[in-house]
Amino acid sequence: QVQLQESGPGLVKPSETLSLTCAVSGYSISSGYYWGWIRQPPGKGLEWIGSIYHSGSTYYNPSLKSRVTISVDTSKNQFSLKLSSVTAADTAVYYCARLVLWTTYYFDYWGQGTLVTVSS
Amino acid sequence: QSALTQPRSVSGSPGQSVTISCTGTSSDVGGYNYVSWYQQHPGKAPKLMIYDVSKRPSGVPDRFSGSKSGNTASLTISGLQAEDEADYYCCSYAGSYTFDGVVFGGGTKLTVL
């Protein structure tokens, strides 16, 4: 059974960089699939942040691209998100998920999510 | 790329059927058969219910079905049960000169009366 678990600080100060890691178990990232980050502000809908392949190939949401970096560490079977220059608008539950694509496109496994609050 | 448009809420009684619509453009819903639907209960992670417009993952009841016509996709839940009360999000691949990724709908709250 594939499982994903987000981890990282729950509180980040404005203008600083948000850093989260997603640990994957039950599947080797090196075996394939894309892996993604999605966020959900309190009481609002889902927003795709970006996705990465095990080779390091990335796709980012253009609205966040200038501030986002997603990286992968196959030796630790995990991938990470960095979002710079955060503001209160970046307060959200951040989810990591496995993305299935190539003649299809959907997220099949999700982490439980982690709330990140941006506040001084 | 704008979010897909969903009704904010729908409701139905146990045993009835409800349909949730998801409207996009020719660059997303209308251009690809890559629409998926997710169910989210309060405080929980989204769960995949439908992918590729109308396919059901293993374990999802056949009461859930999906379809698409033009730029609008739909999720139909028949034989409503109390446990179906949740938020539902549609999602589509979107590809254009300026965007290559995923767009979600704003979400629909389903209330089982």
Side-chain angles (χ1 to χ4, degrees), chain B residues 9 24-25 27-28 36 38 40-41 49 54-55 61 64 78 80 86-87 92 94 101 104:
Chain B
S9 65
T25 69
S27 294
D28 40 65
S36 51
Y38 301 87
Q40 186 179 38
H41 287 109
M49 304 301 285
S54 61
K55 297 177 181 177
F64 291 83
S78 59
L80 270 179
D87 292 326
S92 175
F104 285 95

Side-chain angles (χ1 to χ4, degrees), chain A residues 40 59 95 104-107 111, chain B residues 38 40 45 51-52 89 100 102:
Chain A
Q40 184 173 35
Y59 290 91
Y95 295 100
T104 187
Y105 213 105
Y106 59 91
F107 297 98
Chain B
Y38 301 87
Q40 186 179 38
Y51 67 98
D52 291 355
Y89 293 90
D100 182 4
V102 176

Side-chain angles (χ1 to χ4, degrees), chain B residues 2 6 31 67 78 88 99:
Chain B
S2 300
Q6 296 180 235
S67 62
S78 59
Y88 290 84
F99 191 92

Side-chain angles (χ1 to χ4, degrees), chain B residues 72-90:
Chain B
T72 298
S74 299
L75 173 70
T76 297
I77 309 171
S78 59
L80 270 179
Q81 298 182 4
E83 66 220 46
D84 299 332
E85 184 163 296
D87 292 326
Y88 290 84
Y89 293 90
C90 62

